[in-house]
Amino acid sequence: ASALNIPAGVNVVVTPHATTLPGSGGITVGYSITSTANTAFAGIITLRINSTEGAVANLPVDLRVESRTPRLVANPGSLTAGMLRGAQTAVGFTVSNEGGLATGPLNVLLPPDSFFHLATPMPMPPMPPGGSNFITILLTPDTNTPLSEFSGSLLVTDGSSAEVAVPFTFRA
């Protein structure tokens, strides 16, 4: 068993789970693909299985390797809440780094409405791959805030390569 058309920085190991194949039979073939370099690639590689009798089976595999970058994800992906005028409402979400590289220090950019406040201290420290942090927004509309729906987005960003927009709808 072998692999063909393998780009630089990618290792492929093909492992047949049997050494003999009965007539009209089948075997399981395992494979492992790892990236050893921070290089992007998209294309088709070929896993090849051959017999001592000369039979060859080629299996095309669509392969996509992404460069290691931070990738921020918010959960939930959007915020919806009611808020009482003259009172405080806390709304929160978790931001996680599902990428392969740490972020820089993170900040939350809020809309200019005067009743949005952060309870979570800023900036947050850099977030490693697999890391997460809970962010709490305090909604404090005064008694003169119109009874209305306020929609928009807030942004969690490290100021360069990592960011996630979190849409919101808040009703006074």
Side-chain angles (χ1 to χ4, degrees), residues 78-80 111 113 116 150-154 166-170:
S78 63
L79 303 173
T80 303
D113 298 296
F116 284 88
F150 298 86
S151 297
S153 291
L154 55 90
V166 182
F168 63 80
T169 301
F170 301 129

Side-chain angles (χ1 to χ4, degrees), residues 104-107 109 155-163:
L106 294 170
N107 283 292
L109 305 179
L155 187 68
V156 181
T157 180
D158 71 354
S160 65
S161 63
E163 67 180 33

Side-chain angles (χ1 to χ4, degrees), residues 101-162:
L101 199 63
T103 69
L106 294 170
N107 283 292
V108 177
L109 305 179
L110 297 174
D113 298 296
S114 62
F115 57 83
F116 284 88
H117 305 283
L118 279 168
T120 305
M122 292 293 134
M124 292 182 290
M127 188 177 295
S132 65
N133 207 351
F134 192 78
I135 298 171
T136 302
I137 309 294
L138 299 177
L139 307 173
T140 56
D142 64 29
T143 55
N144 296 322
T145 299
L147 292 173
S148 183
E149 188 172 272
F150 298 86
S151 297
S153 291
L154 55 90
L155 187 68
V156 181
T157 180
D158 71 354
S160 65
S161 63

Side-chain angles (χ1 to χ4, degrees), residues 71-99:
R71 186 170 60 90
L72 295 179
V73 176
N75 187 19
S78 63
L79 303 173
T80 303
M83 54 186 178
L84 293 173
R85 296 186 300 173
Q88 178 175 285
T89 302
V91 179
F93 63 98
T94 300
V95 65
S96 304
N97 181 0
E98 295 184 1

Side-chain angles (χ1 to χ4, degrees), residues 2-85:
S2 61
L4 308 173
N5 307 321
I6 307 304
V10 174
N11 287 334
V12 178
V13 176
V14 183
T15 311
H17 291 249
T19 56
T20 60
L21 177 63
S24 299
I27 63 169
T28 301
V29 177
Y31 61 93
S32 169
I33 302 174
T34 55
S35 175
T36 60
N38 189 18
T39 305
F41 170 80
I44 296 177
I45 63 170
T46 302
L47 304 183
R48 175 172 283 172
I49 309 297
N50 8 342
S51 74
T52 53
E53 292 79 18
V56 176
N58 289 322
L59 173 66
V61 176
D62 190 11
L63 178 64
R64 179 179 168 147
V65 178
E66 295 181 356
S67 297
R68 288 181 297 200
T69 60
R71 186 170 60 90
L72 295 179
V73 176
N75 187 19
S78 63
L79 303 173
T80 303
M83 54 186 178
L84 293 173
R85 296 186 300 173

